[in-house]
Amino acid sequence: MSQHHRHRTDLSAPSVHLGVDLTDAGAHPAAWRDLGSQAQRLFDAQRLASLVATAQRGLLDLVVLDDAFSLQPVQRHGAQGRLDAALVASRLAPRSAGIGLVPTIDTTHTEPFHVSKAVATIDHVSRGRAAWGVGWSTTPEAARAFGRKGVQDEADAVDEAGDVIDVVGRLWDSWEDDAEIRDVATGRFVDREKLHYVDYEGIRFRVKGPSITPRPPQGRPPVVVRATSDAALTLAARHADVVRLQATSLDEAVAQRELLRTRAADAGRDADQLRVLVDAFVVLADDEASARARLELLDDLEPRAGASTTFEHVGTPDALVAAIDAWVAAGAADGFVVRPSSLSTDLDALVDKVVPTLQSAGLFRTAYPGRTLRDTLGLARPANVFAATA
Amino acid sequence: MTTRRKQIHLGVHFPGVNSTTVWSDPESGSQIDFASFEHLATRAEAAKLDFFFLAEGLRLREHKGRIHDLDVVGRPDTLPVLAALSAVTERIGLAGTINTTFNEPWELARQFATLDVLSGGRAAWNLVTSPDAFTGENFRRGGYLPYAERYERAAEVVEVARTLWDSWDDDAVLADAEGGRFLRPGAVRPVEHHGRYADVVGTFTTPRGPQGHPVLFQAGDSAEGRDFAARTADVIFSMHSSFEAGRAFYDDVQARLVAAGRSRGDLKILPATTVVLGDTAEEAAERAAHIRRQQVSGPTAIAFLEQVWGRDLEAYDPDGPLPDVDPDVENISITRGRVRHARDPLAIVAAWREQAEANRWSIRDLVIHTTTRGSFVGTAQQVAEDLDRHVQEDASDGFILVPHLTPHGLDDVLDQVVPLLQERGVFRTEYSGPTLRDHLGLGRPEVADQATELAG
Ligand SMILES: Cc1cc2nc3c(=O)[nH]c(=O)nc-3n(C[C@H](O)[C@H](O)[C@H](O)COP(=O)(O)O)c2cc1C
């Protein structure tokens, strides 16, 4: 696959990447109380499938699905309850096309072997549209639910996440692409020279390998890391294909992205093979006053906890387009993970108003460029570490 | 029809890693591509079958210290495949084999609750306990158990999972936007369990599925396994499909069921079986013989002998006589990651030599004969009658059909045999309800019942 060089000024190669967060009824804790939220059907597969269909209509790069092993913290009137995100992603795969599916899967309490085959399978089922949102748990709730080990602090959990990402990647590589040979003459189904033991022995866990699941279509499904702290940013620089940055201003994002690129280069990686998406909380309406009024209404129902750590856009679709253009042009981001305040309202506005405007400005593609999520993100298919050293 | 005949339950097994699958046949398709799974599941649903079934293995099998390469190798992950199938089917049950030794109850409970919610009440969990150290090398807990403890842990894992499923009331999601209450007060209760194999404290994350609890299958043939099933399971996935062995197994399990305080019919017994059809009995027999020869290739026959001999026998001709050397009785772990092990190789080999000599069998002939399991071979009419007889005479409550070809291997059975069973009035022509519990005629566990049980 040829290296995908992306010049922001080159209109023939539109460069903005857009994802959307489908968690809960929306990113605002009161979203479920919004008109049309279908909160009764929050856990209904049909509702989720129709959200993905909308996102796909907008040619968005990917949808992300949060998960955690504990119930959402009790808010005054918050929605609570979670489905297993990996299974939701798999459920959404067969009836969608083009769009990437990014479930969050924990690294602190789950088995790396299970994580590896789950994501590989979502990639098989979606024919190359899976990514892995790397999660880690630092709460006593999650630790007590498993009862296997004590609470880990952030540094420790992030460190372990790095080990898990490393091992999961090797498990994906533990089958070379052409390991299945079906050689009738010799009676051999696989060429066992192309299956590899991982033989990982770390301080926290060990895995023998090979995987039971053949190498996924993308080779390695993209790894998505949220850079929520300095430690997480370092983790992302070392291991992520897609980094979700948390930045409240353009300048902060520029600085973070530079830091990320430097650390990636220090880790021996090609920084151009990293896609940086800034989390964007959005409230969209035809005029700014209406958007503000809608946010106030939601805030009245359930105030958002703490000060925002991410970029917020409360206003018109056109103003969001301008912001996206400015951030991408300034090198602050390769795109955004849009977190609609309310999925029932803001997702349609994103797809029907923001995307067409971006497209007419030549900033967003008008079709999926290929079949896999790596194609969409312009990421090369990685070489197999075992094949490379063989 | 005057007397109500026992209704047959049928599932389809998507073959993964086993020596039944004839991958060398030109008509054999992918065992990985989702289209293969979709084909078998949608065809089975069109025929109104009870469920689609997936086995599981968590370590690639080895033979003589190397990965066993003669059978199908590799499979996708069980639960994501079933979740994906729930998108392309509407009614058929989705049964996944998941090991209780190498998984934790909290995540298992939320995965199965999720599958039940996403599929509208079609989830089933086939509990397997394979506890071995060989598989454990893939897991961080270092994870294997002594063989004797496999069902102790399984029982505790299930108990915790059930408690978690029952910690949400069926109508827990209120979603009262006006009043600002998402969950009904008191409808989601914290859980606390401190046991030998599980230590779980917390408020569960996932709504109770439409079935309350997913249907529970058990597969494991020891006395402990049967007792565990009698206490715990809704369905036994067994492998005794000949009539006599089926009857004996059925009686044994029913006795254990009654001893466990449950009633006949509470536990369905469904053996795995293969079916080979022909236009005439002779043609079917010929096809069956041809399939057996495809299943047992020369290298497969030698590898099978090596398991029992504990020696490298590659120098022997599969179409020639049995090896003249004696088995190495110390080396019985020559094959790892398989269920079957030879316990007394000397006796087995002595018996085989006698049989081979009497019948003038080659190595391959012998392996074909000794590994042939119960199978239904004949015209569609004969097979339908035979299947029905097994069920009416309590050799089983139905079958899990295992094709020898992926994914088209059951098309003929579904097209030809199922309609005959329907004509006989022993198999449904329409689904009577939306859930797998409905298909199997199983009651739905109530939260309240469970609570009393736990208190009592
Ligand atoms: C019909 C049947 C199917 C089985 N399928 C699986 C399987 O798919 N995966 C697995 O790990 N073990 C499988 N097992 C193994 C059992 O879970 C169990 O570990 C093993 O039989 C040892 O327990 P036992 O001594 O009670 O038989 C199967 C066993 C039987 C009898």
Side-chain angles (χ1 to χ4, degrees), chain A residues 265-281:
Chain A
D266 289 349
R269 302 185 65 204
D270 174 3
D272 287 338
Q273 285 290 301
L274 231 79
R275 297 291 166 266
V276 177
L277 309 182
V278 173
D279 277 1
F281 175 85

Side-chain angles (χ1 to χ4, degrees), chain B residues 55-56 97 128-130 147 150-151 219-222 225 237-239 339:
Chain B
E56 185 198 50
T97 300
V128 294
T129 55
S130 311
Y147 181 71
R150 68 203 184 286
Y151 287 109
D221 200 36
S222 62
F237 173 37
S238 70
M239 51 190 181
V339 176

Side-chain angles (χ1 to χ4, degrees), chain A residues 90 110 121 160 189 192 197 209, chain B residues 62 67 69 77 80 138 140:
Chain A
S90 213
T110 51
T121 300
E160 181 165 12
F189 182 80
R192 55 187 163 206
Y197 292 96
Chain B
E62 287 180 3
I67 286 162
D69 58 0
D77 198 13
N138 278 334
R140 69 162 85 207

Side-chain angles (χ1 to χ4, degrees), chain A residues 32-34 39-40 42-45 48 67-72 76-88 90-95 107-114 117-119 121-122 124-125 127 141 143-149 160 164 171 175 180-193 195-197 204-214 301, chain B residues 23-25 28-35 38 56-60 62-63 65-81 83-89 102-104 106-107 110-115 117-118 133 136-144 168 173-183 188 199-207 297 299-300 314:
Chain A
W32 71 272
R33 300 178 68 182
D34 204 7
Q40 290 278 3
L42 201 62
F43 307 105
D44 184 324
L48 290 159
D67 199 4
F69 285 123
S70 41
L71 205 57
Q72 293 86 339
R76 201 165 46 123
H77 301 299
Q80 287 187 302
R82 304 178 192 275
L83 298 179
D84 180 279
L87 296 187
V88 172
S90 213
R91 164 65 179 77
L92 294 170
R95 295 274 196 241
T107 51
T108 310
H109 299 293
T110 51
E111 295 284 356
F113 193 80
H114 289 324
K117 63 188 164 61
V119 178
T121 300
I122 302 166
H124 281 292
V125 163
R127 301 200 162 85
E141 286 80 11
R144 286 202 303 257
F146 269 72
R148 260 194 346 188
K149 52 183 183 177
E160 181 165 12
V164 174
L171 284 166
W175 285 64
E180 186 181 312
I181 52 170
R182 298 193 183 220
D183 186 37
V184 178
T186 57
R188 292 175 308 142
F189 182 80
V190 287
D191 176 355
R192 55 187 163 206
E193 303 304 317
L195 296 177
H196 302 278
Y197 292 96
R204 298 187 183 86
F205 60 88
R206 56 173 201 176
V207 175
K208 180 74 185 170
S211 177
I212 59 163
T213 303
L301 290 171
Chain B
W23 57 260
S24 57
D25 192 296
S28 165
S30 172
Q31 79 290 351
I32 301 298
D33 191 343
F34 184 66
E38 184 171 358
E56 185 198 50
L58 294 172
R59 175 98 191 251
L60 297 188
E62 287 180 3
H63 181 62
R66 293 178 302 175
I67 286 162
H68 183 66
D69 58 0
L70 303 174
D71 295 340
V72 166
V73 181
R75 58 172 110 221
D77 198 13
T78 304
L79 289 173
V81 170
L85 285 173
S86 76
V88 297
T89 56
F102 302 111
N103 292 282
E104 297 304 315
W106 188 273
E107 68 183 327
R110 64 197 303 280
Q111 287 168 336
F112 277 102
T114 297
L115 182 62
V117 168
L118 291 178
E137 286 178 20
N138 278 334
F139 296 98
R140 69 162 85 207
R141 198 154 47 77
Y144 69 100
W168 282 59
V173 175
L174 188 61
D176 167 19
E178 285 283 301
R181 282 186 189 281
F182 187 75
L183 296 180
V188 175
D199 203 304
V200 172
V201 179
T203 304
F204 193 48
T205 57
T206 308
S297 69
T300 293
E314 264 172 56

Side-chain angles (χ1 to χ4, degrees), chain B residues 388-437:
Chain B
D388 188 22
R389 181 176 74 103
H390 277 244
V391 173
Q392 301 313 326
E393 297 179 24
D394 286 349
S396 79
D397 296 303
F399 298 91
I400 298 182
L401 303 168
V402 187
H404 71 281
L405 289 180
T406 307
H408 293 278
L410 286 172
D411 291 357
D412 58 351
V413 180
L414 298 173
D415 287 344
Q416 298 169 38
V417 178
V418 170
L420 294 173
L421 296 174
Q422 289 168 331
E423 270 173 35
R424 296 173 79 86
V426 293
F427 192 71
R428 73 174 71 78
T429 52
E430 286 302 332
Y431 287 109
S432 58
T435 72
L436 177 56
R437 284 187 177 275

